[in-house]
Each structure stands twice: as C-alpha cells, then as structure tokens.
Amino acid sequence: MLLAIDVGNTNTVIGVFQQEKLVADWRVRTEPERTRDELAILIKNLFANSPLSLSSIRGVIISCVVPPVVNAFNQFCRRYLDMNPMFVGPGMKTGMPILYDNPREVGADRIVNAVAAYERHRRDLIVVDFGTATTFDCISAKGEYLGGAIAPGISISMDALFTRASKLPRVEIFNQPKAAVAKDTISAMNAGIVFGYAGLVDGLVRAINAERGVQSKVIATGGLARVIATQSEMLEDIDELLTLDGLRILYQRNQ
C-alpha cells in the first residue's frame, strides 16, 4: 500500500491507497515543531484506530509547502518505515509541462492538484484550492500548467478580521449563511465570508476564462470547498481529496 502525505501550512492530509483505491484518509493540524518520533506516535495512533497496518506500507510520497517539517518526515520514514520517501519537487516526472517563468516557485500542492485534475478530465481546467491560501491553477487542454492566481485564504481573512477589528469575535466559518442581510454579528461575518468568497471565486474564474478565450471546467478542493460551492455559480465539481489522488498518480509515474 502507498502512504500519501500532503503537508499544508495549516493542515496535513494523510491517505492510504491500495492500488488506485483510497482506503483511509485523515486530516491533522500541521505542527512544524514535531519531531520524527512525535510524527511516529501520531501516525501509529491513526493506523491503530483503523483496520490498516502500518507495516503494510510499501511506498511513501510527500507533498510539502512547509520546509521546516521536511527533515522530520524524512527521518520518520527512514527510521519507522525503513524506506526513503519520495518528495514532490524539481526533477520529478510529472507528465505536465510547467509554463511558469520560474517553475521552482510553484507550490508542490498546486502541481499535484493540476496533475490529478487533468488525469481525470483531459480538458481546459481551473482548480480552486481552499487552503491557507485560495489558489487558482489553470491547465490547458494539452495538459500544460499555465499558472494562476493566489488570494488570501478564508482562515487568514478571518484571523485578520479578528486581529484588526477589536470588537469582532473570532469565529469558525463552517455553516451556510441564512441570509446576506444578517441580524447579528457572527451571522454577518459568516455571510460576508461565504458570499464574499463565492463572489471572489466566480469573478476570478470569469476573468481567467475571458483572458484565455475558453470555458474551463472548474474543480474545487480543500476543506471549505463544499461551503463555498453552494453559493458559487462557477464551481462545478468538488473533490476535497484531489491532492491525495495526485500524489498517487505522481508516485506511479516515478517508479
């Protein structure tokens, strides 16, 4: 079985594949200070609460945008799994031309998402990932990574609102707003974030399509994709675990 790990700035998503089937997945908070042994305790506990065995892992692939944790994950794999993990990065065979001024600047997760989306749909695409940042990645019908846009993520925006506006409370946005014209402060913040980000997504997608002269299919991923998608006109498909599938594809391409 394959262990696929996507380390983001806020959360780390872990998945286990048996051939092409995702048989387990977990989402935990990213902690840059974790040591290899703390990672071992965490991952062993996740496996202990599932029918899977850590000893059945035969390969590991990791996408990481948090450099301080790379060494800990590398040491964890070498000490506890007795194998060297495969890291997504320069030199990896992606099967996708990266048409960026400096391809090394593109986050590993963005490339992984693009590979997974194109493998599935084979057409002009925009992948919107609702992570720490909200990223928009464009893929051509030829399977080329064209670039995209980056906006502040939902959590970043909420933290900034709480930090800079002293009378506003810190809230978590996971619910659909009942109305755009809210009658209390928390509902007003909820409406502003959900309706506001849906408008941001739709506006950027329309701008990208107009610039390219195409009508791209739009795929949403990330933890809050479903919340925003209910209010968005442009988001068509939702796959919260798209990155894990991309990691599986890249692992297979680099064997």
Side-chain angles (χ1 to χ4, degrees):
M1 289 195 289
L2 173 66
L3 180 63
I5 303 174
D6 172 36
V7 184
N9 288 291
T10 304
N11 294 320
T12 296
V13 183
I14 303 169
V16 179
F17 287 91
Q18 187 168 27
Q19 297 180 344
E20 296 185 357
K21 183 181 180 182
L22 182 65
V23 294
D25 65 89
W26 304 278
R27 184 182 296 267
V28 299
R29 185 170 297 279
T30 298
E31 297 288 353
E33 297 81 13
R34 277 197 183 113
T35 67
R36 65 182 183 188
D37 301 317
E38 290 171 328
L39 283 173
I41 292 170
L42 169 66
I43 293 175
K44 285 182 177 180
N45 283 338
L46 294 175
F47 273 79
N49 289 297
S50 78
L52 304 175
S53 169
L54 193 59
S55 62
S56 65
I57 298 299
R58 296 292 178 264
V60 182
I61 182 167
I62 301 172
S63 167
C64 181
V65 297
V66 187
V69 310
V70 169
N71 188 51
F73 272 100
N74 190 38
Q75 290 186 11
F76 158 74
C77 292
R78 295 175 68 177
R79 176 166 181 171
Y80 290 95
L81 300 178
D82 195 26
M83 64 183 71
N84 292 318
M86 181 185 297
F87 282 93
V88 177
M92 170 173 275
K93 298 176 183 178
T94 63
M96 175 173 285
I98 311 299
L99 306 186
Y100 216 65
D101 289 345
N102 182 359
R104 291 176 180 269
E105 289 182 358
V106 186
D109 54 339
R110 299 177 70 186
I111 299 301
V112 174
N113 285 341
V115 167
Y118 186 74
E119 180 73 12
R120 189 173 304 171
H121 297 285
R122 301 279 175 171
R123 55 167 293 182
D124 287 292
L125 295 165
I126 299 172
V127 179
V128 185
D129 188 350
F130 295 93
T132 304
T134 301
T135 57
F136 297 74
D137 297 304
C138 305
I139 305 98
S140 74
K142 296 178 181 179
E144 303 158 321
Y145 180 85
L146 302 176
I150 303 174
I154 294 174
S155 295
I156 288 176
S157 297
M158 291 305 300
D159 286 345
L161 196 59
F162 169 75
T163 302
R164 301 299 295 271
S166 58
K167 286 191 174 183
L168 294 181
R170 183 186 295 275
V171 296
E172 295 290 344
I173 306 298
F174 295 109
N175 300 316
Q176 292 301 325
K178 296 179 181 179
V181 181
K183 302 298 184 182
D184 62 86
T185 300
I186 290 178
S187 296
M189 294 170 70
N190 191 60
I193 285 292
V194 175
F195 289 124
Y197 265 83
L200 181 151
V201 169
D202 291 348
L204 259 174
V205 168
R206 290 191 181 101
I208 291 168
N209 283 340
E211 182 176 297
R212 295 193 57 224
V214 300
Q215 193 65 33
S216 300
K217 185 176 183 65
V218 187
I219 313 297
T221 189
L224 292 177
R226 292 190 182 277
V227 175
I228 304 301
T230 59
Q231 304 300 330
S232 168
E233 298 176 7
M234 305 303 291
L235 295 180
E236 300 175 60
D237 285 355
I238 304 168
D239 187 345
E240 296 171 348
L241 300 174
L242 182 70
T243 312
L244 292 182
D245 199 42
L247 287 172
R248 174 191 62 80
I249 293 167
L250 289 177
Y251 183 84
Q252 293 172 346
R253 288 182 180 176
N254 284 270
Q255 291 304 294

